Amino acid sequence: PSQVAVGVPAGIIKMVFALRSHMEACPDHILLKLDFANAFNTMSRLAVLNVCLKVPRWRKFYRFLWAMLSPASHIKGIPALSEEGMQQGDTWGSACFCIGSHPDVQWANETLQTRGGMAVFDMDDGYLAGPPDVVFSTATELARRMRQRCGVHLNVSKCQAWSPTQGLVRTALDAHPETPFQLGAVPGWIRGPGQGVVVSGVPVGDAYFIEFHVQAKVSAVLSQTTKIESSLRLVSPQNLFALLVYCA
């Protein structure tokens, strides 16, 4: 089933495992990563309230959200009015985005399931898996629905596709020249090894693609660790020692 909101690491692990297992079991399918531009700030408040009113479990929050998301609402500490989208720093922002987009995500999942695929979302990061033709058509229609109903636009420059079957994505993209999506790959590698997509921060793809992203992440962590160590050594050696003991 579609996972509309995944807010904890365990949920992300389950989502990555589900997508990876699906692609291993269906090598003739493709995995398409969707990205929506400035999604939270452009989500229609009217769309959120309409869905909230229709869903029984959410109906009790309708009056509260109506007051919180009323037009021209004031934001404490910011000399401006917030008239659309989820307010910056609002703890309800993620939940409101998920409930607002849920009807369209649910439609995409049900459509793909008829062909053995699925739609999985981590808030505004969406992933569609299934045969190339139905994935491309579902993604295009999903983008139209969310743009029309929610005011959210698909950022096609960041939408990438991958398949464990070498050459399948390139063949599918060539067969659908109207499709604006790209092949997911390590920068500079468009053929051969180094293909995949990043699912909620976790690389899913061939061995070279995974190794590239793991190494990049390790290098970034080591760089930050070095900076923290240098700062704490001068400010508080005791805190540095505690950090090494309990976090190493």
Side-chain angles (χ1 to χ4, degrees):
S2 60
Q3 301 286 338
V4 180
V6 180
V8 295
I12 294 177
I13 292 174
K14 290 180 180 178
M15 183 177 67
V16 173
F17 179 79
L19 289 172
R20 188 181 66 184
S21 298
H22 178 88
M23 298 309 297
E24 291 175 354
C26 305
D28 57 333
H29 285 188
I30 67 169
L31 174 61
L32 177 63
K33 173 184 178 180
L34 301 179
D35 181 87
F36 295 91
N38 203 19
F40 279 55
N41 293 330
T42 56
M43 167 61 71
S44 168
R45 296 182 181 180
L46 180 60
V48 172
L49 293 174
N50 283 339
V51 176
C52 184
L53 191 61
K54 295 177 182 177
V55 178
R57 287 179 295 176
W58 273 76
R59 198 168 297 152
K60 59 184 177 182
F61 298 117
Y62 177 81
R63 290 187 178 183
F64 166 74
L65 292 177
W66 181 88
M68 188 178 68
L69 301 177
S70 60
S73 56
H74 291 271
I75 305 177
K76 185 177 180 180
I78 300 178
L81 297 178
S82 176
E83 300 181 355
E84 192 56 279
M86 302 298 104
Q87 295 182 13
Q88 187 72 24
D90 179 15
T91 55
W92 280 80
S94 299
C96 287
F97 178 87
C98 292
I99 191 64
S101 60
H102 182 70
D104 299 324
V105 174
Q106 189 175 38
W107 168 85
N109 185 57
E110 292 172 351
T111 300
L112 290 169
Q113 281 184 332
T114 62
R115 295 286 299 276
M118 62 179 176
V120 183
F121 268 60
D122 175 9
M123 291 183 285
D124 59 329
D125 292 326
Y127 307 92
L128 309 183
D133 57 341
V134 69
V135 166
F136 290 151
S137 62
T138 300
T140 301
E141 176 62 15
L142 176 63
R144 186 196 67 80
R145 288 176 177 236
M146 293 191 66
R147 181 177 63 251
Q148 183 178 51
R149 193 181 61 83
C150 305
V152 177
H153 292 257
L154 193 66
N155 187 357
V156 295
S157 64
K158 293 186 178 180
C159 296
Q160 300 178 326
W162 168 76
S163 173
T165 300
Q166 184 72 21
L168 178 61
V169 174
R170 176 59 61 188
T171 301
L173 290 173
D174 291 341
H176 297 272
E178 76 285 355
T179 299
F181 310 122
Q182 306 295 322
L183 171 66
V186 169
W189 292 71
I190 59 175
R191 300 185 185 279
Q195 297 181 10
V197 297
V198 178
V199 178
S200 291
V202 180
V204 175
D206 61 34
Y208 188 93
F209 182 86
I210 295 173
E211 179 62 26
F212 174 86
H213 283 276
V214 170
Q215 186 58 48
K217 179 63 70 174
V218 170
S219 298
V221 170
L222 289 176
S223 176
Q224 291 297 321
T225 302
T226 301
K227 291 181 181 179
I228 294 173
E229 185 270 340
S230 298
S231 299
L232 286 178
R233 182 184 293 273
L234 298 176
V235 176
S236 177
Q238 288 178 317
N239 285 337
L240 173 59
F241 184 82
L243 183 68
L244 294 175
V245 169
Y246 293 106
C247 298

